[in-house]
Amino acid sequence: MSGVPALKDEAGLYRQLLLSGLITPQDVVAWADRQILNLGALPEALVDLSLSGGHRERILTALGELGPRELSEAGFGLYAAWLLSLLRAEPAQLFFVTRALHRLACQDEAPKGVKDRIDMLDAQLHLAAKLPYIPVSKVEAEVRKFLEGWAGHAPTGTEPQRPLRPPVQFPPHLGGKVPDPD
């Protein structure tokens, strides 16, 4: 797919990134400000975003007005590209990435037909964390393959603008806490 992403797809992406803890409210406001500078006709919700003062609930409301809760295939492709970027930068974030995908699927905000695959990847990772004979690297390869396939649905020119680096969280069997992006 090529071309500039639709505003509604980007709004859906930024909503999910904010809900997943991958970006801050200030990142969303900065995105809205860039959109205002580049667009001729301004949706009222975009102006609301810019003037939100970084208040998370106001931002989520305005993003919901710009795009639907359920991500389109292009929007999910954008989200997959961001998660793939995170996984490539920090392979230790595999648990965070699968939890972010799982939250999206449980909220019915992923495109139709994706939920079952996400549930399977999440279950495989949890089994690998508990059973030493299931290599986590095999599950990581499956997650990467899934994300790469969906990242292909993203419009070109939508690569993450900065590396995503949330705090590293380790699986329970390594003494850490699996992050809950909700």
Side-chain angles (χ1 to χ4, degrees):
M1 233 182 217
S2 64
V4 179
L7 185 63
K8 68 180 178 90
D9 291 332
E10 280 199 62
L13 166 69
Y14 276 83
R15 181 177 179 279
Q16 294 307 324
L17 292 172
L18 183 61
L19 287 170
S20 297
L22 289 168
I23 60 174
T24 66
Q26 291 73 23
D27 294 325
V28 180
V29 171
W31 168 79
D33 291 343
R34 286 190 306 274
Q35 297 305 310
I36 288 171
L37 292 174
N38 294 328
L39 295 175
L42 299 178
E44 187 177 324
L46 191 58
V47 175
D48 290 345
L49 270 173
S50 183
L51 300 175
S52 70
H55 297 285
R56 191 172 192 270
E57 292 310 314
R58 287 178 60 191
I59 290 172
L60 289 170
T61 299
L63 286 171
E65 291 174 14
L66 285 171
R69 283 180 59 113
E70 181 182 314
L71 291 176
S72 65
E73 286 190 5
F76 188 71
L78 293 169
Y79 191 62
W82 277 72
L83 292 177
L84 184 59
S85 170
L86 172 63
L87 193 55
R88 286 178 175 155
E90 290 284 341
Q93 295 298 337
L94 178 62
F95 283 85
F96 181 88
V97 167
T98 58
R99 291 301 300 156
L101 285 169
H102 187 69
R103 187 205 59 77
L104 188 72
C106 288
Q107 302 275 330
D108 289 326
E109 295 177 3
K112 302 291 184 233
V114 175
K115 184 181 182 328
D116 291 340
R117 181 70 176 134
I118 291 173
D119 286 343
M120 186 181 76
L121 290 171
D122 190 55
Q124 285 177 335
L125 187 59
H126 284 288
L127 281 175
K130 293 177 183 178
L131 304 173
Y133 56 86
I134 298 175
V136 172
S137 60
K138 183 177 187 297
V139 180
E140 180 184 350
E142 289 289 321
V143 171
R144 282 179 186 255
K145 183 179 174 183
F146 172 77
L147 292 173
E148 287 167 354
W150 275 99
H153 290 274
T156 57
T158 56
E159 293 75 24
Q161 295 182 357
R162 60 183 172 77
L164 301 173
R165 296 191 185 275
V168 174
Q169 297 288 329
F170 294 97
H173 74 286
L174 296 177
K177 176 179 177 261
V178 175
D180 186 3
D182 291 337

